[in-house]
Amino acid sequence: PRTVAATTTTTTGGAESVSSHHSATSLEQQLSLLVCIRCLRTAHLAPPPIVIPFYQNACHLTPSAILWLGSWYSALGWICEMPSGILSDIWGRKLTLQLAFLGLGACWIVTYGSSKSSSSSMVVIWLGLAQLCRAIGSSLYSGTDMAFLYEVLEKYQRQNSNHNDLVLKLESRQVVLSTMTEAAIAALGSILCQSVGEPTTVLMSAIPLLIAATLCCGLEETTKTATRNGTRKAKKEETSLSTDDKLSNDEIKSSTSGVTERKSNNNSKLSMQSCIVNFMKEQQETLLQKPSSNETSLLVLFGVGVVLNCGTYVAATALNPLLWQQVGISTFGGYVQASNGGISALGAILAPTLKEQCARRQRRKEAIKNNNDGTQGLLLLLLSTSAVAYGIMTWNAFSSITATTVSSSHDSTATANSSFSSSNNIIISLSTIFASWLLSFVRGLAWPVLGSALNAAIRDNSSRATTLSLFSGAIKMGMVVTGMVLGSILRTSSIGHACALCGSVLIVAAIAIIVGLPQGTTTINDECPKPNDDDKNKKKQ
């Protein structure tokens, strides 16, 4: 018996080691596949420095019309965000990502087709259809990739006390690789644009997205709803259970489901209303839930995330390319965009380190005992840096207008001041590039920080993608308002006024973070009382 017991123990230990090795290998494969998919998502052969001239030259759009087109895309994305999150929780991450990349690839194909239209009305219709495909694809993608990363770690039993830090490290590494891919592909797109032209480059932008849709076939399902059928098939293949037991279990399940279906059919209207009410209550409780001592409130994350994403997005897609044309560096726009990708990668690399430094500084300042993760301090740094960048852009916009006015004058001192004007133009060009670098740094730093903080604040996996879609929907709504306001400003004023308005909004958001920074912290001598049953009952009421 001792020999048999030892043999059984050895066999069990070997099986466990083999199982753990297989789990680790599967996890590495899934993470590597996710990295490839994310890199292909950012592989834009036609970045904004190429798309904006394409809109102006091939589609004959004005700067205000380009911003209105961006608002149309943001409005469609906001409409699609909530259904996309619900569908991602129902369909699963794999199918949702496949449909997302198909929609994004169709966007570039339809955009290329718009340049072949003869009438301006058909150009607008084709571009509107292209933005619809883009909105559907981006809304299906947003939140789904992050939810897959968080859930695949839980599936392979990587949940631990430092799970949030693990997600932040993985997210920062993947953002680094995706931004490096974006930089390299942007440089390649600039070369292609010079050789084959802007329309062909726009059409070729669909190739990486279609490849990503094919690679999504190798992803595993992590949601319970989508894997229910696969679990049933796996249970049927188990040899340890007898066939009669399987049939009896299936009969019990089918009879139980039949009773449930009859009850649901009799009370369909009431159940639908109750489901909607319960869903809205769950989302309200998720947004308004009191954060723990080391977490940031979801409302704070939503507000700061909307301001940061709108500020960096409108700069990357519209204001920076337009400012580059005004300054006179649009010829090198593709290469500047490539350098911006490298700066974004640097920001993603430094995300965990900067977060830890902010946490240590805040603990020393407020005498806090290991309960501040540094998220609020890092968000304040991001807002301040973005405000400084927009301040530089505002100065450059007005300075370039003044320099153009002086150079066009025909007075006697124009020749004497030519050297001063050339040096001033160099300073304006370099400072414009530096401002775009600052915003790119904020962009690379913001996404892993916001992503890890949001997932840490969401405690229910069944509504994770839906909550993340709410966040993306709030960003899309902010982009709608931003594009409409800036489009109206550009019709009557200059780019400098638009940059000044964006910088003012970022300063206001930074002040709001400073005012609310001490809230939600606990000092050494404070205690955190546990809620009793009476408090829970009052909260439910």
Side-chain angles (χ1 to χ4, degrees), residues 21 26 68 86 115 124 129 143 145 158 163 178 196 316 330 349 354 361 365 371 380 431 462 499 523 526 540:
H21 177 70
S26 301
W68 279 98
I86 298 174
S115 62
V124 174
L129 181 60
D145 61 329
R158 294 293 298 270
H163 187 61
S178 62
V196 299
S330 59
I349 291 175
L354 291 177
R361 182 177 180 181
K365 183 178 179 180
N371 59 354
L380 178 61
S431 58
S462 61
C499 296
T523 56
D526 293 338
K540 290 181 179 179

Side-chain angles (χ1 to χ4, degrees), residues 315 319-320 323 388-398 435 439 496 499:
L319 293 181
N320 268 333
L323 184 59
V388 171
Y390 268 105
I392 297 174
M393 291 172 63
T394 304
W395 178 79
N396 291 331
F398 288 116
L439 290 174
C499 296

Side-chain angles (χ1 to χ4, degrees), residues 266-342:
N266 293 331
N267 303 302
S268 59
K269 294 182 179 179
L270 182 61
S271 61
M272 182 61 67
Q273 293 176 358
S274 61
C275 287
I276 295 174
V277 172
N278 292 332
F279 173 76
M280 297 303 295
K281 287 182 178 180
E282 289 177 359
Q283 295 303 318
Q284 183 180 6
E285 291 179 358
T286 302
L287 291 176
L288 298 179
Q289 64 186 1
K290 186 177 180 180
S292 59
S293 58
N294 61 342
E295 292 178 353
T296 307
S297 172
L298 269 177
L299 289 178
V300 174
L301 293 174
F302 268 50
V304 176
V306 167
V307 173
L308 283 175
N309 281 279
C310 290
T312 55
Y313 174 80
V314 75
T317 57
L319 293 181
N320 268 333
L322 292 175
L323 184 59
W324 294 346
Q325 287 185 351
Q326 181 175 321
V327 173
I329 58 174
S330 59
T331 308
F332 309 99
Y335 301 103
V336 176
Q337 186 73 15
S339 65
N340 289 340

